[in-house]
Amino acid sequence: GVDPDAIAVALAFAQLDAKALSSGYSFADLRAKSLHVDAQPGVTIDAGITADRLIYGATVLTDFVVRGRSSPGEVTVNDLSFGLVGGRALASAHAQTARADTRLGLVAALTGADTGQIAGLFGAATGQISGRLDARAEVEMTGETVAAALKDNSGQAIVSVIQGHVTRDLLEKLSTDLRVLFRSGEGSTRLTCLLAVM
């Protein structure tokens, strides 16, 4: 066979509007999207994009970096990282087609995030929780489409928070089991270490 054309791209932006780039793309159609990676592509790509600020509507990501490559039968994102809620989000992904299905692997992490900012994203009142959050997740899935892959997946996640405080009111809302530790929902308690494994 003929070797595919190889394209290498390196782009750097001070500010990048991701919403303008994705206009016309519907996330509603994502579940039916085929995950097939061409085993005999006409072109392979090795690309890197950096942006001081990446904007998507009201969301602003700082120090955005993405690097990836495609080759026959596989696509790899070696590095996806950006500043988020006072910390840094990092991810890598790999997709490889085997027969009719595609096997996907994803590793994602969040380091040094501000729990107060995270809680604010979910509508929690200011000051209900503080501390630094670290999280890591690994997921593997297999399928011909996104919907099929979501049905055949496995993974684990770990979340930790250190050196923080949480209000008793929030703790009571999060778990009825922990509510017995406190007589009232007033005040706060020191959060020395919180660890969750899924």
Side-chain angles (χ1 to χ4, degrees):
V2 179
D3 290 338
D5 294 333
I7 297 176
V9 178
L11 302 172
F13 300 91
Q15 183 167 296
L16 182 60
D17 186 344
K19 194 164 188 178
L21 291 176
S22 64
S23 63
Y25 180 81
S26 172
F27 286 101
D29 298 331
L30 183 61
R31 289 180 60 84
K33 179 129 181 93
S34 171
L35 295 173
H36 179 74
V37 181
D38 194 348
Q40 296 180 324
V43 175
T44 62
I45 298 173
D46 190 334
I49 300 172
T50 62
D52 295 337
R53 288 166 42 96
L54 184 137
I55 300 171
Y56 188 87
T59 303
V60 178
L61 305 178
T62 59
D63 300 321
F64 177 85
V65 176
V66 63
R67 293 186 179 92
R69 62 181 176 81
S70 69
S71 57
E74 62 184 305
V75 174
T76 302
V77 176
N78 302 314
D79 177 21
L80 171 63
S81 60
F82 48 86
L84 181 68
V85 290
R88 187 140 190 93
L90 309 143
S92 62
H94 181 85
Q96 186 171 27
T97 295
R99 297 188 180 91
D101 290 334
T102 297
R103 186 169 47 253
L104 300 173
L106 172 67
V107 177
L110 181 60
T111 61
D114 180 346
T115 56
Q117 290 186 49
I118 295 170
L121 293 176
F122 295 98
T126 303
Q128 285 198 314
I129 188 169
S130 67
R132 306 310 290 181
L133 180 142
D134 292 321
R136 180 180 171 88
E138 296 183 19
V139 178
E140 291 186 0
M141 56 182 68
T142 302
E144 188 176 358
T145 64
V146 172
L150 289 172
K151 292 178 182 176
D152 181 10
N153 67 83
S154 63
Q156 58 266 337
I158 184 167
V159 179
S160 67
V161 178
I162 60 170
Q163 299 175 341
H165 285 83
V166 60
T167 63
R168 293 178 178 179
D169 178 59
L170 179 60
L171 208 52
E172 288 182 2
K173 289 176 182 173
L174 291 175
S175 173
T176 54
D177 294 333
L178 291 176
R179 198 175 349 188
V180 297
L181 297 174
F182 306 103
R183 293 189 177 189
S184 72
E186 298 176 1
S188 67
T189 188
R190 185 177 176 190
L191 189 59
T192 305
C193 178
L194 176 148
L195 181 68
V197 177
M198 295 171 278

